[in-house]
Amino acid sequence: MTPTEFGDENENSSHSALERASAASRSTWVSVAVNVCLSIAQIGVGIFAKSQGLIADGVHSLTDLVADFVVLFASHHSKKDADENHPYGHQRFENAASFILGLLLMAVGAGMVWEAILKLESPETIAEVHSIALWMAGAALLAKECLFRYMLAIAKRIKSSMLIANAWHARSDAASSFVVGVGIIGNLAGYPILDPIAALIVGLMILKMGWTFAWDALHDLMDRAVDEIELSAIRETLLKTPGISGVHDLRTRKMGDMIIADVHIEVDASLTVEAGHDIAVDARRRVLERHRVLNLMTHIDPWSRPDLDHDSEPPPINLEKAG
């Protein structure tokens, strides 16, 4: 997830975990209602009109229901407070949900590609579709595009990568309905092979999108750091804290849509331990207020003195004494 997708990531998010979970639940239930209606209508009309593309699009809408319930499950668990086994909270349920959504998209895309290839290998089995299929494809395209814009707006407002993934899942449906519509038009114009070609294109689009989501989520689960823009913003906040003369070894890792960070801050060596501690507490407060940082661990170093924690060549270990 990049800053451009969330807008200005450097702004402090005023949404609590409970508010974010509530918004995710509300938008997902809207998606459930839309997808139930669409899948029933598309599959029913597709069977009646003999359109493989429309049936495939209806099956894709059914997979959205699975995706929606994955989001609801993750949203419910991610809002739980930290506990003994999860001292930083449960935000990574969102990363796991994004990964599952990506795998789901890949599976659906691969299935659609396979079915389309089978049809293309036997073009004589392709039936002429009924014109009602085109009207159904147009209605599905409009409904899915509206659903995508609604879900994306909420995802950006509460800054949730999980909802971003689910919104783009809905957009993949809109794109597939458009391609299916083109295939149906071609079929009605006397080129029946365009219907399975449309299904093939849709499958490849979904396959690629699923890979992108799964790969990004996997990197987040492996403690991927934030981008340099957000890292620089956090460093600037630290440097503007009164009493801090320098900052180094600022490291971050993703925790859902939040960040865990640790940093070495440099303060005047003549300060008391209490004064240095107060500066560290103030720095942590500022970072947590202005950035999507869940926790910041600080280490105090004397300013303009060698940092003995990071010697380039650590002293050799005396094994005899160690024994």
Side-chain angles (χ1 to χ4, degrees), residues 130-180:
H130 193 280
S131 60
I132 192 175
L134 182 59
W135 289 101
M136 185 67 246
L141 171 61
L142 180 62
K144 291 173 181 178
E145 182 65 20
C146 290
L147 178 63
F148 161 73
R149 294 183 180 277
Y150 164 74
M151 295 179 69
L152 188 64
I154 292 180
K156 287 185 174 181
R157 178 169 60 83
I158 65 175
K159 300 181 178 180
S160 170
S161 61
M162 177 182 64
L163 287 188
I164 287 278
N166 206 30
W168 278 100
H169 193 177
R171 165 55 74 85
S172 74
D173 272 3
S176 68
S177 294
F178 174 77
V179 176
V180 166

Side-chain angles (χ1 to χ4, degrees), residues 49-60:
K50 300 178 181 179
S51 171
Q52 181 196 4
L54 192 57
I55 294 173
D57 205 23
V59 172
H60 188 197

Side-chain angles (χ1 to χ4, degrees), residues 259-272:
I259 301 166
I260 302 292
D262 55 84
V263 64
H264 286 228
I265 58 175
E266 301 170 13
V267 301
D268 188 341
S270 64
L271 293 177
T272 63

Side-chain angles (χ1 to χ4, degrees), residues 215-233:
W215 187 248
D216 284 345
L218 183 61
H219 277 288
D220 287 345
L221 288 170
M222 294 190 300
D223 287 344
R224 177 166 57 178
V226 300
D227 58 63
E228 186 58 37
I229 295 177
E230 191 163 11
L231 194 67
S232 297

